């Protein structure tokens, strides 16, 4: 895996205006994504996790330029793409493809699989002639482990898992460097989920793909990611390599999220942390630390001063950053300073 960043995201913001009043002017804003930065190396999987409504899917859509950004930069392989005119962006779109959550609504029911897959190949001018197109279709079906003659069938003839394989084949048709998987396995049954995750992992190794894996399912993320970025209410609160994050989380929100992940070992579980209250509205996020209304460790400073992401000492490896005022406290007063966060308990 190369360490050169393929994708760099700097201070990305997406605020959605809310119109109202007599003249229909902007009366408020939804701060869906409010200044996040991360990068992804070639061949790396970065998972973006958090509760529903935290802004993670908006990040994916913003990267794909499905709507204009409010602010920030998106740099793909050294080229800034957030302000690129659509004509110039067109060839670069090929390099960043998406697999959507719902395999039922994401495939056009009026197109055979061959037309679904041929569309991006033609749009990006990849096939030299019709024989080359046929060879590409066959290779795509091989890659996603579907029979070659399935290209002649309609989407409704496939199961949910098979449709998601077709969705992956469509993403691969443009020969991308990066795939954004937006809750790509969330709608699938448990056994099918594991098959699709294994397929994505195999493809990543085979093709050297980078992946942004957007998910609320930490059990799946733990199985297949290199690094994890945790989002809460439009902000990233912690980023760490998989082992560090799951072994010793440094942010109270991550600690709470992980406490709900079932453990594969019978008789062992994490100490469950129940967060109080609901996620606040992104229209009016709390001042100071956005998590302070639910954080079990909140103190006065948290209510007035917003913590910033900073590097954290981590015995398990480098590249761990977290945004929490607890990191300024002496170790004896910091409840997450020791390997306590994801504490495993023997039960039964
Ligand atoms: Fe909790 Fe304060 Fe840390 Fe926010 S800054 S996560 S409220 S301890």
């Amino acid at each position: 895996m190369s360490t050169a960043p393929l994708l760099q995201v700097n201070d990305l913001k997406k605020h959605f205006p809310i119109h109202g009043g007599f003249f229909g002017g902007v009366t408020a804003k939804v701060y869906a994504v409010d200044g996040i930065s991360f990068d992804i190396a070639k061949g790396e999987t970065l998972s973006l996790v958090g509760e529903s409504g935290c802004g993670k899917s908006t990040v994916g859509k913003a990267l794909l330029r499905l709507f204009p950004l409010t602010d920030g930069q998106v740099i793909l392989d050294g080229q800034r793409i957030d302000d690129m005119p659509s004509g110039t962006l067109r060839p670069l779109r090929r390099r960043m493809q998406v697999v959507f959550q719902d395999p039922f609504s994401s495939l056009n029911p009026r197109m055979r699989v061959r037309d679904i897959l041929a569309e991006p190949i033609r749009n990006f001018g990849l096939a030299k002639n019709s024989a080359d197109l046929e060879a590409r279709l066959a290779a795509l079906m091989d890659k996603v482990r579907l029979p070659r003659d399935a290209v002649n069938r309609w989407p409704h003839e496939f199961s949910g898992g098979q449709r998601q394989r077709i969705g992956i084949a469509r993403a691969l048709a443009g020969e991308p460097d990066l795939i954004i998987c937006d809750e790509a396995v969330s709608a699938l049954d448990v056994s099918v989920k594991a098959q699709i995750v294994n397929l994505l992992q195999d493809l990543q190794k085979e093709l050297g793909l980078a992946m942004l894996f957007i998910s609320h399912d930490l059990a799946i993320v733990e199985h297949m990611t290199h690094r994890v970025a945790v989002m809460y209410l439009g902000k990233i609160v912690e980023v760490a390599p998989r082992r560090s994050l799951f072994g010793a989380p440094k942010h109270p929100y991550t600690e709470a999220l992980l406490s709900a992940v079932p453990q594969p070992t019978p008789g062992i579980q994490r100490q469950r942390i129940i967060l109080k209250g609901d996620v606040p509205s992104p229209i009016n996020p709390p001042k100071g630390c956005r998590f302070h209304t639910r954080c079990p460790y909140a103190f006065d400073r948290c209510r007035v001063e917003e913590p910033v992401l900073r590097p954290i000492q981590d015995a398990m490896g480098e590249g761990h950053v977290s945004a929490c005022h607890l990191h300024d406290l002496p170790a004896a007063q910091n409840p997450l300073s020791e390997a306590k966060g994801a504490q495993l308990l023997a039960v039964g």
Side-chain angles (χ1 to χ4, degrees):
M1 189 175 71
S2 161
T3 51
L6 173 68
L7 180 76
Q8 286 176 269
V9 175
N10 301 326
D11 204 21
L12 176 73
K13 291 183 184 165
K14 181 60 195 176
H15 302 162
F16 294 100
I18 298 175
H19 297 271
F22 189 70
F23 296 107
V26 176
T27 52
K29 286 180 185 168
V30 178
Y31 296 90
V33 179
D34 204 17
I36 68 163
S37 302
F38 61 87
D39 54 45
I40 306 179
K42 290 173 184 166
E44 182 188 35
T45 298
L46 175 74
S47 292
L48 195 55
V49 304
E51 289 165 289
S52 168
C54 70
K56 55 191 189 304
S57 285
T58 306
V59 174
K61 293 186 176 85
L63 297 181
L64 292 163
R65 290 267 304 259
L66 299 185
F67 39 60
L69 305 186
T70 304
D71 205 357
Q73 294 183 340
V74 180
I75 299 163
L76 181 65
D77 211 6
Q79 281 185 283
R80 197 169 157 188
I81 60 169
D82 53 276
D83 58 356
M84 214 174 240
S86 46
T88 322
L89 181 66
R90 200 175 146 74
L92 284 170
R93 279 193 188 279
R94 179 188 68 73
R95 303 185 62 187
M96 191 157 59
Q97 295 290 311
V98 63
V99 179
F100 292 108
Q101 174 177 4
D102 187 352
F104 291 90
S105 64
S106 63
L107 302 178
N108 187 337
R110 294 191 193 86
M111 290 169 82
R112 286 184 197 270
V113 172
R114 81 165 36 254
D115 298 318
I116 290 170
L117 301 184
E119 193 172 54
I121 296 173
R122 289 202 186 95
N123 286 350
F124 295 122
L126 294 173
K128 295 185 202 80
N129 48 45
S130 55
D132 187 19
L133 176 64
E134 288 303 318
R136 284 171 181 271
L137 294 176
L140 285 170
M141 297 310 271
D142 292 349
K143 282 195 178 96
V144 298
R145 327 284 191 249
L146 284 175
R148 291 183 175 187
D149 60 4
V151 291
N152 296 317
R153 287 157 59 187
W154 302 90
H156 73 263
E157 297 179 62
F158 296 92
S159 67
Q162 288 170 328
R163 285 185 197 214
Q164 202 56 312
R165 286 173 193 267
I166 297 166
I168 293 168
R170 180 178 55 188
L172 295 176
E175 300 178 345
D177 303 305
L178 171 75
I179 291 193
I180 297 174
C181 295
D182 186 3
E183 298 281 8
V185 296
S186 304
L188 305 174
D189 293 341
V190 175
S191 60
V192 180
K193 213 178 257 197
Q195 290 168 15
I196 298 295
V197 166
N198 290 340
L199 174 66
L200 286 169
Q201 282 184 298
D202 290 350
L203 289 170
Q204 182 177 46
K205 285 188 204 122
E206 201 179 310
L207 306 171
L209 289 168
M211 219 182 283
L212 177 64
F213 193 79
I214 298 169
S215 178
H216 68 278
D217 188 338
L218 283 151
I220 291 282
V221 165
E222 184 172 15
H223 180 69
M224 55 94 63
T225 199
H226 294 115
R227 282 188 304 140
V228 188
V230 181
M231 270 189 90
Y232 183 78
L233 213 54
K235 298 267 188 188
I236 287 179
V237 297
E238 184 163 13
V239 185
R242 176 179 57 88
R243 205 167 140 257
S244 300
L245 191 115
F246 283 90
K250 303 293 187 216
H251 193 282
Y253 178 58
T254 313
E255 180 195 42
L257 279 185
L258 292 188
S259 77
V261 179
Q263 289 302 296
T265 315
I268 296 286
Q269 67 179 40
R270 288 186 171 103
Q271 186 175 24
R272 185 76 199 267
I273 298 166
I274 309 287
L275 291 176
K276 58 186 178 188
D278 296 325
V279 181
S281 166
I283 297 173
N284 189 19
K287 299 273 181 290
C289 174
R290 292 184 177 200
F291 187 52
H292 84 251
T293 54
R294 302 173 79 203
C295 179
Y297 312 114
F299 53 107
D300 288 348
R301 185 181 173 194
C302 307
R303 290 178 257 281
V304 291
E305 188 184 330
E306 185 169 355
V308 293
L309 277 175
R310 53 189 261 196
I312 301 298
Q313 285 277 1
D314 185 341
M316 295 178 103
E318 297 193 341
H320 200 149
V321 295
S322 167
C324 176
H325 295 315
L326 290 176
H327 305 317
D328 288 334
L329 297 179
Q333 293 172 30
N334 182 348
L336 297 185
S337 64
E338 294 167 31
K340 166 188 175 298
Q343 195 175 46
L344 297 176
L345 303 173
V347 294

